[in-house]
Amino acid sequence: MSAEGSQSLAAPRGRPSHLLVPARTKTALALLYDEGLENAYDVRLKLTKEVLTIQKQDVVCIGGAPPGANHRTVTLRRQPVGGLGLSIKGGAEHGVPVVISKIFKDQAADQTEMLFIGDAVLQVNGINVENATHEEVVHLLRNAGDVVTITVEYLREAPSFLKLPLGSPGPSSDHSSRASSPLFDSGLHLNGHCSHTAPSSPSSPIANEPKYEKRWLDTLSVPLSMARISRYKAGTEKLRSSALEVLALDGASTGALQFSTAQDCADWLRAISTNINELTLQHMKMANKCCSPCDQVVHMGWVNERLQGADNNPQNFRSKFLALRGSSFYIFSAPPVSTLDWGRAERAYNLCEVLFKVHKFWLSDNYWLQANLYLGLQDLDCEDPRSYCFSVLASHGKSHIFSVELGNELAVWEKAFQRATFMEVQRTGSKTYLCSWQGEMLCFTVDFALGFTCFDSKTKNVLWRFKFSQLKGSSDDGKTRVKLLFQNPDTKQIETKELEFQDLTAVLHCIHSFIAAKVASLDPAFMDSQSVARRYMCSS
């Protein structure tokens, strides 16, 4: 996730105006998926501007003297109509406990006010059933007589298939299916073995007995400051279906949060991302108060970097934290939270000597097109399953490929690179590189005001000078040599200047950055100047 500085430029043309949504608070039910055990548990999510809280249901004592343990022993009186008034699921043969899956309103179990959907049955009339099969528990309950004492404990992490959706009892299952799966629901609300036909006294709570209530309790709070979101299963390129994970700066993780629909997952992804961005923006503003105007943080945030393995295995991505600050583009393994951290970047590149490139871009009709249609550049070999990718081409041909979770983040990174590069070009004014021309060691300068100048490194005599507008094309051998094609202002003839550089990539990117900044300075509203700059540079 990422956030941009307050002095942002206008949104690029052809983009939706709703790229960013306001910070928000919201709650919703979801499933917490245990990817190791392959079980999902019911949870409730509570999102605030600073924290994502995961809540789990538990049964709490709200009155009376609570027992020393979490166990509750409840006495049920079987009724001629409705029986015990509950149903169960699960069993030892399925590797799950027997759990109360339904409680029928105004019947025996409901009248006790001490039993809840999600209670694991531990004992029946003093007989331990924690390791009993479904049929064994059904048999005990059906033959326990008119007065049945059961001991239960609320199972906070009961697999979701053992519980019905909250507040929806529904009819019992057909017994013809038997207990062939943990989804089988034995309807113990039936009469069972009742020894008489006269109505028995209803089950009801005793006055001095403790009273219980099922509540959502906070179990994990994940701070959103500098947090990141991932929709991919850790260590794989497998996209989770309608699920995401939030990882805090301190390493705390929500685990895989599964939503009922892909739309719900997308809504939560946007909401959490927006709140993370707001907090990151606040952090940037605080940091910039202590920095000089030429060392301001323009943009920073989490991305995933594609790693190229030596064995050419399928692509792997690793989380990285990027920052655009002052004259540099930084790559971190963790966010910089102190002044010293800025000196611990994995890599740092001069902004004038890198080239930002979108692999796919956003259109108002929600379609993606290849970047070469947009930038006029040949696309890199980037056949990855991730939708929102960009690359940063640096000196000596080094390239980094990154992905983000949302299309609006891709647009924000593009705009931030344009702005940061524009600011750095204006601050720098010019860049000079050593080169050789016609066998002589010379200096080649790219100047924001003057254009291109070639002069003798010893005498400082200017050999030739051309404006940016006079550059009509270029070609290079991909190694050290470049041909720059300029139009003579007097003769209108094309003049070719062939130069050789030690780091050709850095020079070409510098030329591109200065031309893009020049175009943007002439028309500030038109910041998508990559393609315009490329009109003057047609690499072979």
Side-chain angles (χ1 to χ4, degrees):
M1 300 300 104
S2 55
E4 189 181 12
S6 57
Q7 298 178 347
S8 58
L9 298 168
R13 296 178 181 178
R15 299 263 168 78
S17 59
H18 55 280
L19 285 177
L20 294 177
V21 293
R24 65 182 69 182
T25 60
K26 61 187 300 184
T27 60
L29 298 178
L31 294 177
L32 178 57
Y33 185 68
D34 187 322
E35 294 178 324
L37 299 176
E38 297 186 350
N39 285 332
Y41 311 109
D42 294 318
V43 295
R44 186 169 75 166
L45 304 180
K46 184 170 66 174
L47 177 66
T48 66
K49 293 183 178 180
E50 296 183 350
V51 176
L52 175 64
T53 301
I54 296 179
Q55 299 177 320
K56 295 181 182 178
Q57 276 195 321
D58 204 348
V59 172
V60 297
C61 183
I62 60 171
N70 293 327
H71 299 172
R72 283 166 280 127
T73 299
V74 184
T75 299
L76 296 171
R77 298 183 181 276
R78 195 186 309 273
Q79 297 178 355
V81 178
L84 298 179
L86 57 82
S87 296
I88 60 172
K89 285 182 180 179
E93 71 272 34
H94 306 297
V96 294
V98 172
V99 171
I100 296 176
S101 57
K102 296 178 184 176
I103 293 178
F104 294 86
K105 186 173 177 59
D106 297 329
Q107 295 186 17
D110 184 48
Q111 291 169 358
T112 67
E113 299 180 6
M114 293 180 66
L115 294 175
F116 302 88
I117 293 175
D119 279 338
V121 181
L122 307 179
Q123 293 183 7
V124 176
N125 285 347
I127 301 173
N128 188 292
V129 296
E130 293 183 64
N131 297 313
T133 65
H134 185 91
E135 282 296 335
E136 287 171 345
V137 177
V138 170
H139 179 77
L140 277 174
L141 289 171
R142 286 188 175 279
N143 295 279
D146 294 342
V147 179
V148 182
T149 300
I150 63 174
T151 299
V152 298
E153 179 182 13
Y154 187 74
L155 200 61
R156 295 175 68 183
E157 294 188 351
S160 59
F161 59 76
L162 290 179
K163 304 179 189 179
L164 289 180
L166 299 176
S168 57
S172 62
S173 300
D174 184 358
H175 286 276
S176 63
S177 65
R178 310 307 298 164
S180 59
S181 79
L183 293 174
F184 176 73
D185 196 325
S186 291
L188 299 174
H189 60 288
L190 299 178
N191 287 338
H193 292 282
C194 189
S195 59
H196 56 80
T197 57
S200 61
S201 58
S203 301
S204 60
I206 302 174
N208 59 358
E209 287 224 0
K211 296 181 180 179
Y212 294 90
E213 185 175 279
K214 187 185 288 187
R215 292 181 178 177
W216 289 105
L217 302 179
D218 294 353
T219 58
L220 177 65
S221 293
V222 177
L224 297 180
S225 179
M226 297 295 186
R228 60 186 175 91
I229 304 177
S230 177
R231 293 178 297 151
Y232 291 83
K233 188 174 180 180
T236 72
E237 279 305 296
K238 183 178 181 181
L239 179 66
R240 297 184 177 109
S241 176
S242 302
L244 59 84
E245 180 181 9
V246 182
L247 300 100
L249 181 60
D250 62 4
S253 170
T254 60
L257 299 173
Q258 184 86 39
F259 296 87
S260 57
T261 67
Q263 184 60 52
D264 287 342
C265 182
D267 290 343
W268 273 87
L269 178 64
R270 293 189 193 99
I272 298 171
S273 175
T274 297
N275 290 6
I276 291 174
N277 292 343
E278 289 294 319
L279 293 171
T280 306
L281 182 59
Q282 292 176 21
H283 181 82
M284 286 167 46
K285 289 179 178 178
M286 292 296 294
N288 285 340
K289 288 181 179 180
C290 305
C291 298
S292 64
C294 63
D295 206 25
Q296 297 283 294
V297 180
V298 175
H299 188 52
M300 62 183 182
W302 283 103
V303 299
N304 289 292
E305 182 179 11
R306 173 182 152 187
L307 304 178
Q308 292 280 12
D311 53 1
N312 227 5
N313 280 341
Q315 301 160 8
N316 292 312
F317 282 79
R318 185 171 298 170
S319 297
K320 299 292 181 182
F321 194 86
L322 308 184
L324 300 172
R325 181 190 183 196
S327 62
S328 299
F329 163 59
Y330 295 90
I331 302 177
F332 296 93
S333 57
V337 294
S338 69
T339 304
L340 293 177
D341 289 341
W342 287 96
R344 298 169 181 162
E346 291 183 352
R347 289 186 178 273
Y349 299 105
N350 185 282
L351 275 168
C352 291
E353 296 180 349
V354 298
L355 180 65
F356 177 92
K357 177 174 171 291
V358 176
H359 288 272
K360 297 177 181 179
F361 73 99
W362 185 262
L363 291 176
S364 57
D365 56 2
N366 293 350
Y367 285 103
W368 287 91
L369 298 178
Q370 292 299 320
N372 58 358
L373 298 178
Y374 180 48
L375 300 180
L377 298 172
Q378 290 185 350
D379 208 354
L380 294 179
D381 182 15
C382 184
E383 297 178 358
D384 57 77
R386 304 197 179 209
S387 299
Y388 313 118
C389 294
F390 65 90
S391 63
V392 176
L393 283 68
S395 58
H396 296 288
K398 176 67 177 177
S399 66
H400 300 269
I401 299 175
F402 304 103
S403 73
V404 290
E405 297 287 346
L406 292 168
N408 67 330
E409 289 185 290
L410 184 61
V412 169
W413 272 111
E414 180 187 18
K415 187 168 62 174
F417 261 93
Q418 291 170 352
R419 177 170 173 251
T421 302
F422 177 79
M423 293 168 61
E424 176 56 18
V425 168
Q426 287 196 317
R427 279 195 299 264
T428 303
S430 66
K431 296 278 288 185
T432 299
Y433 300 90
L434 287 175
C435 66
S436 62
W437 179 63
Q438 295 181 349
E440 298 181 20
M441 292 302 298
L442 304 173
C443 290
F444 175 77
T445 296
V446 186
D447 189 282
F448 186 70
L450 301 177
F452 307 98
T453 302
C454 191
F455 61 91
D456 189 286
S457 59
K458 296 179 181 179
T459 64
K460 308 301 180 185
N461 291 330
V462 175
L463 303 179
W464 48 263
R465 175 176 288 151
F466 294 95
K467 297 179 180 179
F468 287 114
S469 59
Q470 293 175 268
L471 178 63
K472 300 305 178 181
S474 68
S475 62
D476 63 83
D477 62 0
K479 298 177 182 179
T480 60
R481 294 183 181 182
V482 62
K483 291 182 180 180
L484 300 176
L485 308 179
F486 297 103
Q487 186 177 45
N488 188 296
D490 300 322
T491 65
K492 306 301 181 183
Q493 298 297 312
I494 297 297
E495 296 184 17
T496 301
K497 305 299 183 182
E498 185 171 348
L499 304 173
E500 188 170 351
F501 297 91
Q502 185 177 1
D503 187 355
L504 178 62
T505 306
V507 176
L508 293 178
H509 291 171
C510 178
I511 295 174
H512 181 278
S513 298
F514 272 71
I515 293 177
K518 193 68 174 180
V519 173
S521 69
L522 298 174
D523 184 5
F526 188 68
M527 285 305 295
D528 290 332
S529 51
Q530 305 271 7
S531 57
V532 176
R534 211 59 183 179
R535 292 177 192 173
Y536 303 101
M537 300 183 65
C538 304
S539 297
S540 59

